[in-house]
């Protein structure tokens, strides 16, 4: 079972490999969902691929943002470069790019990012039919739901690290408020901010209401081992190398049956935690409204504070240059000056100590350790990972000597000079063993050694050294060898698509329909209303698929229950380029709703570019006016009833309507979304969707 580690740069790459990972996922400077991680240049990724493959570690590149038409050429150039370099898989979100890349490179492995909304059987089945090798499951799925997935596709599950509160791929908070799209790797972390929850005009709760704890599945990890999960994924491409190493080694030990200690859990807390949760996997509470910050490990209490110093009663050692945080005040500092109980400077304190009051602390408080230079140096002093090899040496008088080295996947055989009968010095097995064991700075260590030689054999020691060097070089070459079928040309059929110009409104009751005679088409999630008007009105039912005994969020608008024929893809498909539109039409969707993250210029360009590429117009729909849903959250995270007028307010005074529908929490934008200058230069070749 694969341990998949996060890598943000070259130091973290080495840490992950030495920690014992089976695979890593990395991002490039472009098109990754962690744009603010260090990420890799084209030059650096060459070394990264070599390092991984030398150790037998697979390397996956995250190309998991949505792609605009203006970026497609650059995106495909990067794909081609990485493909020929020999990366093992691409992790992708964009529907059009997934289809196009699979058509262009039949032997490439594509994993559907969690940003694709892999939360139901129909989506997973679709991805399997497209040729996707693996799905990174939504963090919202429970273990019982995962067990119900009977589709022959690899399943990847997050086991540790930060959680998104919203369904991934459906969070528009950062995009709508800060013009930095989470779907394009630019998330501003709106979920980590302070909010007040109101009922009508009265505050009923305040805090970091959308902030989540850190996922940590170690206490129930054994339950994950026999559920069809192919890959256990650690979050953390923006974390430190020591974090990457320790968490990788922590789960490596668990998978290998070595378990963990209480000290290991304490180290995890020091490395990073916002309190731990078992997550939706085990239906645990994920909220921590007290703080969005790293908590660390509690190590003592303040028992006195003065203008220049703070007196602390310690439960464990504190070192100079440690980072600490005072829980109630939220103040933190690096301990540059540490004093023992006699007020003498020291680099290590126990029991009672004093530190300088650089943060003007004026209350008794709990003390938490948030960083430890001493601990981090200890973690990074890790042993070098070795690749075990089997060695067979054969020496017969009158025949060429033979050396065979095998790593379990590759077997290298080299021959030397003809063995002679010794006149003076006889070659012994210990001589051979000592010379072949001189592997120097190579990554190998000998696991099994089989030596078979004739008595009184003579071979020069230099010949054995030569064979060893030759065999190791050939083995290195085999481990780095890349085999690719190459790129093929993709032909696009002209599809039978009718471009319409409808105005559609979402309706909830008879009154809505009666008052909406100027509209051409209706959408409703009221099944009785749909049944009543389906023969007299052009009405579509918003089908909430119920695959896992809960409503899923990537809804489609379904007419007469035919899926996907005569269906309308909703804006949650995040369509931002002509290829996504084309492949959705090819799949059977009659209308494709464009992403609300596109501006008017991008919409016009998409329509015109589509025609120029495919020689027919697409049938697309755009949302004209509505308070767009910023987040869809599993469960009742705000703890509000189904009925009532509720909203949250941020530090700028912006108001966001919220409601709970018995299974999901919805957060709406503070402003009405309108595409400006919509009618410019595209001759109304689109449908408009109006919502109230």
């Amino acid at each position: 079972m694969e341990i998949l580690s996060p890598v943000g740069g070259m130091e973290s790459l080495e840490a992950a490999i030495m920690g014992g990972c089976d695979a890593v996922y990395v991002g490039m400077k472009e098109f990754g969902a962690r744009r603010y991680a260090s990420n890799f240049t084209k030059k650096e990724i060459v070394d990264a691929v070599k390092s991984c493959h030398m150790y037998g570690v697979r390397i996956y590149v995250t190309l998991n943002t949505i792609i605009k038409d203006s970026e497609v050429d650059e995106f495909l150039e990067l794909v081609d470069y990485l493909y020929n370099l020999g990366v093992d898989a691409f992790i992708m979100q964009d529907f059009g790019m997934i289809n196009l890349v699979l058509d262009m490179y039949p032997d490439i492995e594509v994993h559907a990012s969690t940003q694709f909304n892999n939360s139901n059987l129909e989506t997973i089945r679709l991805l399997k039919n497209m040729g996707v090798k693996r799905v990174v499951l939504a963090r919202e799925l429970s273990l019982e739901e995962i067990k119900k997935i009977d589709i022959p596709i690899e399943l990847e599950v997050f086991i540790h690290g930060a959680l998104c509160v919203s369904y991934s791929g459906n969070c528009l908070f950062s995009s709508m408020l800060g013009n930095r799209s989470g779907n394009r790797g630019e998330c501003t972390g709106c979920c980590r901010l302070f909010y007040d929850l109101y009922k009508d005009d009265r505050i009923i709760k305040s805090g970091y209401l959308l902030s989540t704890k850190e996922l940590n599945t170690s206490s129930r990890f054994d339950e994950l081992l026999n559920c069809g999960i192919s890959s256990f994924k650690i979050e953390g491409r923006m974390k430190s190398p020591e974090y990457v190493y320790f968490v990788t080694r922590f789960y490596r030990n668990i998978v290998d049956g070595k378990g963990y200690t209480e000290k290991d859990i304490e180290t995890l807390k020091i490395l990073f935690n916002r309190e731990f949760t078992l997550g939706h996997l085990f239906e645990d509470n994920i909220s921590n409204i007290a703080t969005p910050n790293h908590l660390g490990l509690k190590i003592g209490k303040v028992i006195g504070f003065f203008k220049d110093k703070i007196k602390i009663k310690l439960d464990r050692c504190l070192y100079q240059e440690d980072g600490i945080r005072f829980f109630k005040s939220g103040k933190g500092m690096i301990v540059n000056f540490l004093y023992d109980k006699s007020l003498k400077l020291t680099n290590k304190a126990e029991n009672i100590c004093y530190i300088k009051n650089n943060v003007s602390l004026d209350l008794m408080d709990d003390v938490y350790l948030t960083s430890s230079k001493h601990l981090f140096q200890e973690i990074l002093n890790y042993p070098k990972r070795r690749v075990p090899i089997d060695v067979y040496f054969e020496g017969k008088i009158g025949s060429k000597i033979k050396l065979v080295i095998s790593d379990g996947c590759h077997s290298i055989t080299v021959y030397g000079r003809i063995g002679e009968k010794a006149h003076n010095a006889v070659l012994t097995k210990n001589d051979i063993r000592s010379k072949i064991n001189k592997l120097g700075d190579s990554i190998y260590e000998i696991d099994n050694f089989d030596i078979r030689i004739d008595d009184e054999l003579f071979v020069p020691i230099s010949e054995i050294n030569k064979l060893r060097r030759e065999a190791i070089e050939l083995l290195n070459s085999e481990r780095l060898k890349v085999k690719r079928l190459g790129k093929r040309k993709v032909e696009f059929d002209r599809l039978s698509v009718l471009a319409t110009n409808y105005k559609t409104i979402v309706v909830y009751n008879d009154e809505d329909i009666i008052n909406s005679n100027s509209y051409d088409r209706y959408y409703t999630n009221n099944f009785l209303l749909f049944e009543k008007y389906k023969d007299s009105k052009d009405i579509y039912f918003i089908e909430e698929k119920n695959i896992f005994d809960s409503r899923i969020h990537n809804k489609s608008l379904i007419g007469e229950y035919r899926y996907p024929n005569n269906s309308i893809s909703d804006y949650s498909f995040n369509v931002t380029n002509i290829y996504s539109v084309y492949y959705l039409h090819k799949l059977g969707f009659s209308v494709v709703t464009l992403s609300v993250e596109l501006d008017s210029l991008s919409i016009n360009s998409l329509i015109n570019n589509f025609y120029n590429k495919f020689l027919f117009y697409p049938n697309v729909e755009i949302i004209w006016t509505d308070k767009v849903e910023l987040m869809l959250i599993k469960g009742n995270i705000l703890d509000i009833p189904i009925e009532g007028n509720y909203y949250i307010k941020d530090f700028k005074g912006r108001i966001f309507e919220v409601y709970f529908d018995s299974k999901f929490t919805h957060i709406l934008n503070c402003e009405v979304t309108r595409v400006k200058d919509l009618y410019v230069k595209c001759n109304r070749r689109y449908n408009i969707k109006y919502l109230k």
Side-chain angles (χ1 to χ4, degrees), residues 67 114 257 297 338 371 414 465 479 582 589 639 662:
I67 307 300
T114 190
L297 174 69
L338 179 62
S371 68
V414 293
N465 290 334
R479 292 175 72 86
Y582 177 86
F589 285 95
D639 194 24
S662 79

Side-chain angles (χ1 to χ4, degrees), residues 173 183 192 443 610:
F173 222 129
N183 285 313
R192 302 297 181 186
I443 65 171
F610 189 98

Side-chain angles (χ1 to χ4, degrees), residues 34-49:
R34 286 290 182 269
R35 182 166 292 186
Y36 304 115
S38 297
N39 294 321
F40 286 78
T41 64
K42 284 187 174 181
K43 182 179 179 181
E44 289 170 334
I45 198 67
V46 173
D47 294 332
V49 171

Side-chain angles (χ1 to χ4, degrees), residues 223-273:
E223 297 176 50
L224 301 175
L225 293 175
N226 297 302
C227 298
I229 299 169
S230 303
S231 180
F232 300 113
K233 186 171 193 172
I234 300 165
E235 184 277 336
R237 282 197 289 134
M238 297 181 70
K239 297 292 200 308
S240 65
E242 52 265 27
Y243 177 95
V244 171
Y245 173 82
F246 188 84
V247 179
T248 299
R249 173 54 57 187
F250 178 78
Y251 282 98
R252 175 83 277 157
N253 287 339
I254 294 175
V255 170
D256 291 348
K258 298 177 182 178
Y260 61 88
T261 66
E262 184 59 35
K263 183 179 178 181
D264 291 333
I265 299 299
E266 290 182 353
T267 300
L268 288 177
K269 290 180 179 180
I270 297 169
L271 285 166
F272 199 89
N273 87 94

Side-chain angles (χ1 to χ4, degrees), residues 100 103-104 488-495 579 582-583 586 613-614:
L100 185 59
D103 282 349
M104 294 175 70
R488 65 184 178 188
K489 185 178 180 180
V490 179
E491 301 289 343
F492 296 98
D493 299 328
R494 181 162 183 170
L495 306 177
Y579 294 96
Y582 177 86
Y583 282 107
K586 186 176 181 180
K613 176 68 177 180
F614 304 115

Side-chain angles (χ1 to χ4, degrees), residues 426-480:
V426 175
L427 186 68
T428 67
K429 289 185 177 182
N430 284 338
D431 293 331
I432 297 168
R433 192 184 307 275
S434 67
K435 298 307 174 186
I436 295 179
N437 257 322
K438 290 183 177 180
L439 297 172
D441 292 331
S442 79
I443 65 171
Y444 306 107
E445 65 179 4
I446 298 175
D447 194 21
N448 295 296
F449 211 142
D450 188 6
I451 302 174
R452 301 184 186 183
I453 57 175
D454 287 345
D455 295 336
E456 300 184 352
L457 174 71
F458 171 75
V459 175
I461 294 299
S462 61
E463 186 72 6
I464 298 174
N465 290 334
K466 177 185 173 184
L467 284 183
R468 182 198 67 235
R469 290 192 296 267
E470 183 181 352
I472 291 298
E473 288 175 5
L474 289 172
L475 181 58
N476 289 346
S477 178
E478 281 298 311
R479 292 175 72 86
L480 295 176

Side-chain angles (χ1 to χ4, degrees), residues 21 29 132 359 382 411 485 615 641 666 680:
C21 69
K29 295 293 185 181
V132 170
V359 293
Y382 44 68
S411 183
L485 295 177
L615 302 181
H666 304 255
V680 177

